[in-house]
Amino acid sequence: MLKGLMVVNAFLRTTKFDDLYHTLLASAAGVGMALDVATNAELCCVVNTPDFDASAYDFVLFWDKDVQLAMQLEARGMRVFNSAQSILWCDDKALTYLKLKEAGIPTAPTILAPKTFPGIGYTDLTFLEQAADQLGFPMVVKECFGSFGQQVYLVHTMEELREKVTAMAGTPLLFQKLIAESYGRDVRVNVVGGRVAASMLRMSTDGDFRSNLTRGGAMEKWQATPEQEAAALAAVKALELDFAGVDVMFGNDGPIICEVNSNAHFKTTLECTGVNMADEIMRYIAGKLVEA
C-alpha cells in the first residue's frame, strides 16, 4: 500500500479547511493509499532531524503554502505534490505574472509596484501617474499574497490610488488593467495531470468586480471552450503544476488568465459539477507513483 504524508497549516483550522482535509483523506483511502496528516508546526523542528523518517512515505501531499518547509521535504528526497517551486510561483502573484508572460500566455496588462519597506514607504509616487497612464481607471490593485478575492481592490481615481498605495506601502503590490468584459465573472478551470477535470462559471451577485464564491458569488456548471481549456492547460504547464484551479477571464480577443491556485478549494466544484477533485488528485498521484 502506498503511504503518503499530507501537510496542512497548523493555524488555518476552520471548518472549511478541515472538511477539505477529510475529503482528501477519504479519497486517498478510496484508491488504496494511506495518508498521515502533520501540520507545518509539527514538522518544522523535526524535518531535518533523525526523528523524521522520510523513507516511511512514498510521497507528500503538500496542502499548504509553507514553501520553505516544502523545500526541506524535497531536500530529504521526498516527492512533493505540488512542488515547492510551483507553490512559490502561484502564491506570489508577481511571480505568477512573470512566469505566464515568459510563456506567452495572455494576462491582464500588469505593472509590478517598486519595492519599498515598512516604516519607509513611498517618498515619491510619480510611478503611479505612469501606471495610470498605461492602465487607466478603474484600475485593479492586488497585494501579491492573498486568497479568496481578498487583498484585491478596485480604485477609480488617482486620489484613491495614492491613498491605497500609501496605506499599504511595504506590502508587495501589482497593478492591473480592469478587464471590463469579464467584470464580475470568470471561469474556474480545474486541471489535474495535464487535463481539464471540471469547469464552472463564477458570477458576482452584488455588482462587485470579483467573482469569488467565498464572497457570496453564484456558480453554474460550465463547459469550458477549447480556447479556455488551452489557456488553463498552458498556464499549469508553465507553472509546472501537478494540479491547480485556474481562473480564466473573458477577453475580447480570447481567454485571459487571472490567477492560478496551487491548492484550490474544491467543495464548490463538487457541489456545482459533481466532480470530486480530491478523487481526481489522489488517482493522479497513485498513477504517477506507479509509473515511477
Side-chain angles (χ1 to χ4, degrees), residues 3-9 20-28 33-38 43 57-64 69-70 73 78-83 87 242-243 262-263 266 277-279 281-282 284-285 289:
K3 184 176 182 180
L5 175 67
M6 183 165 72
V7 178
V8 303
N9 192 276
L20 185 151
Y21 304 150
H22 287 307
T23 302
L24 287 164
L25 286 168
S27 294
M33 294 195 297
L35 270 184
D36 287 347
V37 181
L43 291 171
Y57 300 102
D58 299 294
F59 69 96
V60 177
L61 177 61
F62 203 86
W63 214 270
D64 193 20
L69 176 59
L73 293 171
M78 304 181 80
R79 175 68 163 95
V80 178
F81 299 87
N82 282 299
S83 72
I87 295 171
D242 294 292
F243 48 84
S262 61
N263 300 94
F266 46 72
M277 294 307 302
D279 289 347
I281 290 168
M282 300 315 303
Y284 165 76
I285 290 175
L289 294 174

Side-chain angles (χ1 to χ4, degrees), residues 123-189:
T123 57
D124 183 352
L125 293 173
T126 304
F127 68 91
L128 292 182
E129 297 173 10
Q130 295 173 291
D133 286 342
Q134 291 185 39
L135 302 176
F137 290 108
M139 182 194 299
V140 178
V141 178
K142 291 184 179 180
E143 298 182 31
C144 289
F145 300 93
S147 302
F148 309 118
Q150 300 173 22
Q151 297 85 38
V152 180
Y153 317 97
L154 192 65
V155 297
H156 298 82
T157 66
M158 180 59 68
E159 182 179 0
E160 282 186 42
L161 179 60
R162 290 194 186 101
E163 289 179 356
K164 179 62 70 176
V165 171
T166 299
M168 296 190 297
T171 300
L173 300 172
L174 58 82
F175 313 111
Q176 287 185 331
K177 181 180 179 64
L178 176 69
I179 306 301
E181 54 270 32
S182 198
Y183 191 103
R185 66 188 185 117
D186 65 14
V187 177
R188 166 61 62 85
V189 180

Side-chain angles (χ1 to χ4, degrees), residues 57-116:
Y57 300 102
D58 299 294
F59 69 96
V60 177
L61 177 61
F62 203 86
W63 214 270
D64 193 20
K65 295 182 179 181
D66 193 333
V67 175
Q68 292 87 349
L69 176 59
M71 289 178 174
Q72 292 178 87
L73 293 171
E74 289 175 341
R76 295 293 304 269
M78 304 181 80
R79 175 68 163 95
V80 178
F81 299 87
N82 282 299
S83 72
Q85 183 63 72
S86 293
I87 295 171
L88 176 63
W89 284 332
C90 288
D91 190 35
D92 184 336
K93 293 178 176 61
L95 294 182
T96 303
Y97 162 71
L98 292 172
K99 288 296 294 182
L100 296 181
K101 186 175 186 296
E102 178 186 14
I105 297 168
T107 61
T110 300
I111 294 173
L112 306 182
K115 184 178 180 65
T116 187

Side-chain angles (χ1 to χ4, degrees), residues 185-189 199-201 222 228 246-248 250:
R185 66 188 185 117
D186 65 14
V187 177
R188 166 61 62 85
V189 180
S199 302
M200 63 179 178
L201 178 66
W222 178 266
Q228 289 168 338
V246 185
D247 299 338
V248 183
F250 296 88

